[in-house]
Amino acid sequence: MNNFPSVFEAINDLSKDQIEGLLILARKFKERDHDKPQFPNKLPIVANSFLENSTRTKNSFAIAIKRLGCHYLDFNTETSSLNKGESLEETLLTLYAQGVDLCIIRTSVSNQLSEFKNNTPVKIINGGDGTNQHPTQALLDLFTMQEIGIELEGKTMAIIGDCIHSRVGHSLCELLPQFGCNIILCGPSDYVPKTPEYEGVEISNDLESTVKRSDFLYTLRIQKERHAGSTEAAKHYDTYHDKYGISRDKLKAWNKEVPVFHPGPANIGVEISTDIIKSSLYKGYDQVVNSIYMRMAIITAILSNNDKNIGIIDGTRIRD
Ligand code: CP
């Protein structure tokens, strides 16, 4: 894959060719068609640096790193010198000097990784930053949609829920229209943008008409941790399930028993009902299964890019 970026922050960092390359590579990993060592000469060291909570992303990266045969460093942010005031840049340069080749970073600060694109302390994959982007989630979702046979060209997907605060939603809006898929962002007016921010994306506050127009659904959690006490956001909490929750009854009534995706973690009984989660319509576990293969592909692409402009101080690399 030519010119894969050394800081992979957002879907728009990748060309369509690179996205297609990742899909092919992920499929090969899944089909065990690629069991030869990816890094035969020197095993890279890959660190997981999660400054915000995670179950799926952190563990799936950890497993992908180990499946690729790389050395794995669980960088414990809570006991690190970040808590003594050391900057993230100094931290990353220090990890690079210690031999780390790639860091997966999750942070609650939107766009925190942008500053590293021009002067890269270590190769970086965004594991989700604030409300900005979660590009590896969107890519594994695309892989899953293709795998279960959804032909995206000309189809419509509804993203239902707290779209404004969802980094997954933003990444999907940058990714799926490239494959000809239209998106409707649906939710109460406080959870969706006033006007569309992306090509191929429209806005609705009406669940029934949105679902009836959609070929498949992507449900989102209400992200209370990003509401910062907003009374506008909070006023929907109690009525959300009735008005916007996806249940088997609603889908049957609307004659729309279609695949339902969710990035997790799900608040069951709020944005999605138990009877959906326990049904074959629910694709959340397929997404988790496929997360390993897509993340193996992304790690392989970034480690293989041969970029020599990493960890440079005053014109000199701090290690070979
Ligand atoms: N989908 C996702 O990012 O889940 P985690 O927060 O559990 O990593």
Side-chain angles (χ1 to χ4, degrees):
M1 234 167 289
N2 287 336
N3 300 319
F4 200 87
S6 290
V7 177
F8 176 33
E9 181 189 27
I11 288 297
N12 284 347
D13 292 330
L14 302 184
S15 66
K16 182 100 183 282
D17 280 352
Q18 288 168 332
I19 294 167
E20 302 273 17
L22 290 174
L23 292 164
I24 291 166
L25 192 52
R27 204 166 302 123
K28 284 182 175 169
F29 281 128
K30 187 159 189 182
E31 290 163 359
R32 296 182 172 276
D33 196 21
H34 232 61
D35 272 357
K36 67 180 188 321
Q38 301 300 304
F39 308 102
N41 299 325
K42 182 170 172 278
L43 288 186
I45 303 176
V46 185
N48 251 346
S49 315
F50 276 59
L51 292 89
E52 190 197 78
N53 295 345
S54 168
T55 295
R56 287 153 198 79
T57 312
K58 182 173 181 185
N59 291 329
S60 114
F61 267 115
I63 292 162
I65 291 162
K66 291 173 187 188
R67 291 276 299 266
L68 287 168
C70 301
H71 294 297
Y72 174 65
L73 177 70
D74 187 358
F75 178 75
N76 186 335
T77 54
E78 284 178 12
T79 58
S80 76
S81 291
L82 284 164
N83 282 340
K84 298 177 189 167
E86 188 167 40
S87 70
L88 185 56
E89 183 185 20
E90 266 304 296
T91 302
L92 296 176
L93 282 167
T94 302
L95 289 174
Y96 182 72
Q98 288 174 328
V100 170
D101 299 290
L102 167 65
C103 268
I104 322 302
I105 300 178
R106 168 167 290 191
T107 168
S108 57
V109 182
S110 299
N111 304 101
Q112 193 178 14
L113 308 179
S114 301
E115 66 166 302
F116 302 129
K117 283 184 169 172
N118 289 335
N119 197 0
T120 305
V122 67
K123 291 182 180 179
I124 295 169
I125 296 173
N126 182 2
D129 66 316
T131 60
N132 180 38
Q133 284 274 322
H134 196 350
T136 66
Q137 176 72 48
L139 287 164
L140 72 90
D141 294 336
L142 170 60
F143 180 48
T144 307
M145 288 164 193
Q146 289 188 339
E147 193 193 44
I148 66 171
I150 295 175
E151 174 54 61
L152 289 169
E153 184 66 45
K155 295 290 191 308
T156 297
M157 176 180 83
I159 302 182
I160 301 159
D162 187 2
C163 301
I164 286 183
H165 301 100
S166 171
R167 53 197 177 205
V168 179
H170 293 136
S171 291
L172 286 168
C173 286
E174 288 186 1
L175 182 64
L176 296 192
Q178 295 189 50
F179 290 78
C181 182
N182 305 305
I183 294 177
I184 308 173
L185 300 180
C186 179
S189 55
D190 296 302
Y191 292 177
V192 292
K194 301 278 175 267
T195 52
E197 296 166 339
Y198 301 93
E199 192 95 5
V201 177
E202 58 182 288
I203 314 293
S204 171
N205 304 122
D206 184 64
L207 182 67
E208 181 174 345
S209 65
T210 297
V211 170
K212 285 180 172 171
R213 288 180 54 206
S214 299
D215 299 288
F216 54 107
L217 310 178
Y218 198 103
T219 50
L220 293 174
R221 179 174 65 88
I222 299 175
Q223 289 139 90
K224 294 181 181 175
E225 75 276 19
R226 297 183 194 135
H227 290 174
S230 155
T231 47
E232 285 78 25
K235 73 178 188 239
H236 304 286
Y237 293 172
D238 292 341
T239 55
Y240 188 86
H241 185 67
D242 280 349
K243 290 189 175 166
Y244 290 99
I246 294 298
S247 66
R248 206 77 202 252
D249 284 347
K250 282 181 188 165
L251 297 191
K252 269 189 192 153
W254 299 335
N255 199 20
K256 269 290 181 181
E257 294 196 84
V258 293
V260 180
F261 295 84
H262 195 307
N267 289 142
I268 300 169
V270 183
E271 72 272 14
I272 193 164
S273 63
T274 304
D275 58 10
I276 294 282
I277 295 260
K278 302 290 180 200
S279 78
S280 59
L281 298 179
Y282 181 63
K283 304 303 172 196
Y285 297 112
D286 303 80
Q287 291 165 268
V288 173
V289 168
N290 285 332
S291 70
I292 310 290
Y293 307 107
M294 177 47 77
R295 288 180 172 134
M296 286 172 78
I298 295 165
I299 292 166
T300 301
I302 197 166
L303 285 174
S304 305
N305 79 358
N306 225 4
D307 187 353
K308 303 285 183 219
N309 295 312
I310 309 288
I312 291 178
I313 300 287
D314 201 15
T316 306
R317 289 184 85 182
I318 56 178
R319 73 165 166 86
D320 289 333

